[in-house]
C-alpha cells in the first residue's frame, strides 16, 4: 500500500507543531507574556520570509485576512496553553477537522468520502476519550475557539493556494499581516518585553511558523485540506509524549486510548 503524496511533509509539520505547547509552557515558567510571544513570533518570521517574496503579491484583502485569522489563532492557542497546559490545549485544538469537513460539505470545494468523514469524527472521539472526565464549560469554549480559528486558517490558506499563491507567499502573508494586529493585542496588555518572551517568540517563529507551515502547505498542496488537517492531528500525540518526557506530565488511560484513536484516524486517511 502506497502512502498518499504529501503525507511525509504533513508528519514533519505535525511533529514541529507538537513542540509548541512544551516550549510555551517552559516560557511561561520563565515569565514570558503570551501577547509578547505572538508579536515576536510574527515579527521574526516576517523579517526572515519577506526577502523571499515580491511584496506586491501579498498586498490584497485575502492575504490580509489570512494574517488576521493567523494572529487570532495564535493568541487563542497560546492563551489556551497557559490555562489548560500543553497536552490538553493541543488535543482540543484538533476539533478543527470537523470544521474543515463542514466547510467542504457546504462549499462543495473538495471531494468528501466515507473515509474522510470517519477519520474526522474519529478525531472528535479521540478528543472526547482523552479528557472525558475533565471537560468543563470553559474548557469547551477554549477548545472550540482554538479549533475553529485553526480551521479558518487552514481554509483561508487553501483558498490562497487555489489562487496560485506559492507556499512561501502564503507564509509571508500570514507572518506580515499578523504582526500589526499582534500590536493591537499587545496595546491592551504590556509593551515591557521580557527575555523569556523574546526567546520563546523566536523559537515559535522558526519551529512553529516558518518550518512547519512550509511543510504543511507543501503537503496540503499535494493532497487536500481535509487530509492535511486530519494528519496534523498527530500534533497532540507528539505534544503529550514530549510533555511526558520534558515536563513529566503523566498520561492517563483515557489519554492513551484517545491518542490511539487519533493515530488511527491519521492512518485511515493517509492511504
Amino acid at each position: 500500500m502506497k502512502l498518499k503524496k504529501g503525507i511525509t511533509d504533513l508528519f514533519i509539520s505535525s511533529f514541529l507543531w507538537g513542540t509548541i505547547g512544551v516550549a510555551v509552557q517552559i516560557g511561561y515558567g520563565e515569565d514570558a507574556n503570551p501577547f509578547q510571544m505572538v508579536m515576536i513570533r510574527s515579527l521574526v518570521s516576517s523579517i526572515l520570509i519577506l526577502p523571499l517574496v515580491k511584496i506586491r503579491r501579498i498586498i490584497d484583502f485575502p492575504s490580509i485576512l489570512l494574517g488576521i485569522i493567523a494572529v487570532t489563532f495564535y493568541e487563542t492557542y497560546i492563551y489556551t496553553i497557559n490555562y489548560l497546559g500543553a497536552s490538553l490545549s493541543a488535543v482540543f485544538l484538533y476539533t478543527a477537522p470537523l470544521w474543515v469537513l463542514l466547510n467542504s460539505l457546504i462549499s462543495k470545494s473538495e471531494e468528501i468520502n466515507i473515509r474522510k468523514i470517519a477519520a474526522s469524527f474519529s478525531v472528535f472521539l479521540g478528543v472526547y476519550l482523552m479528557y472525558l472526565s475533565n471537560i468543563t464549560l470553559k474548557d469547551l469554549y477554549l477548545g472550540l475557539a482554538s479549533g475553529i480559528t485553526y480551521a479558518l486558517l487552514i481554509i483561508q490558506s487553501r483558498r490562497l493556494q487555489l489562487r496560485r499563491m506559492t507556499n512561501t507567499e502564503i507564509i509571508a502573508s500570514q507572518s506580515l499581516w499578523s504582526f500589526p494586529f499582534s500590536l493591537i493585542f499587545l496595546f491592551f496588555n504590556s509593551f515591557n518585553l521580557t527575555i523569556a518572551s523574546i526567546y520563546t517568540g523566536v523559537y515559535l517563529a522558526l519551529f512553529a511558523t516558518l518550518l512547519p507551515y512550509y511543510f504543511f502547505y507543501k503537503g496540503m498542496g499535494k493532497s487536500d485540506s481535509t487530509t492535511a488537517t486530519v494528519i496534523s492531528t498527530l500534533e497532540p500525540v507528539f505534544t503529550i509524549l514530549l510533555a511526558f518526557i520534558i515536563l513529566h506530565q503523566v498520561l492517563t488511560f483515557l489519554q492513551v486510548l484517545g491518542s490511539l484513536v487519533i493515530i488511527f484516524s491519521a492512518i485511515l486517511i493517509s492511504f
Side-chain angles (χ1 to χ4, degrees), residues 1-207:
M1 189 177 290
K2 187 177 180 181
L3 280 173
K4 283 184 177 180
K5 291 182 178 179
I7 297 301
T8 300
D9 297 314
L10 296 172
F11 269 93
I12 293 173
S13 65
S14 296
F15 175 76
L16 292 173
W17 278 326
T19 68
I20 293 176
V22 174
V24 169
Q25 275 209 274
I26 292 173
Y28 280 132
E30 299 294 327
D31 200 32
N33 178 287
F35 302 102
Q36 293 175 4
M37 284 189 281
V38 171
M39 186 273 289
I40 294 295
R41 174 183 187 172
S42 298
L43 176 61
V44 173
S45 58
S46 295
I47 291 172
L48 294 176
I49 196 72
L50 286 180
L52 304 179
V53 301
K54 295 179 180 178
I55 301 296
R56 60 181 175 77
R57 288 274 297 167
I58 60 174
I59 302 180
D60 56 18
F61 178 73
S63 298
I64 295 173
L65 180 59
L66 180 66
I68 295 173
I69 293 172
V71 74
T72 305
F73 165 60
Y74 295 162
E75 300 286 4
T76 302
Y77 186 38
I78 286 183
Y79 174 77
T80 304
I81 292 171
N82 186 34
Y83 179 72
L84 298 176
S87 299
L88 180 56
S89 58
V91 173
F92 272 130
L93 182 64
Y94 284 91
T95 56
L98 299 179
W99 306 114
V100 173
L101 176 66
L102 180 62
N103 175 74
S104 296
L105 288 171
I106 294 172
S107 65
K108 298 180 180 179
S109 58
E110 295 177 357
E111 177 188 355
I112 299 297
N113 54 44
I114 296 299
R115 184 175 294 180
K116 287 182 181 180
I117 294 173
S120 296
F121 279 95
S122 291
V123 171
F124 180 81
L125 176 61
V127 169
Y128 183 73
L129 287 172
M130 281 177 139
Y131 293 96
L132 186 63
S133 61
N134 296 319
I135 294 177
T136 66
L137 193 59
K138 187 170 184 178
D139 293 339
L140 182 61
Y141 287 154
L142 286 170
L144 288 176
S146 295
I148 290 171
T149 52
Y150 179 59
L152 290 173
L153 182 66
I154 302 309
I155 292 166
Q156 183 63 13
S157 61
R158 181 60 172 171
R159 287 173 180 166
L160 293 181
Q161 280 190 330
L162 295 175
R163 294 176 73 246
R164 304 300 181 184
M165 287 187 71
T166 66
N167 296 335
T168 304
E169 289 170 344
I170 294 173
I171 298 171
S173 299
Q174 183 174 324
S175 299
L176 173 64
W177 296 115
S178 64
F179 175 65
F181 293 100
S182 71
L183 294 177
I184 296 175
F185 283 94
L186 198 60
F187 179 78
F188 294 100
N189 193 260
S190 173
F191 279 93
N192 297 320
L193 283 173
T194 66
I195 297 298
S197 295
I198 294 173
Y199 66 68
T200 306
V202 170
Y203 178 90
L204 293 176
L206 296 175
F207 299 104

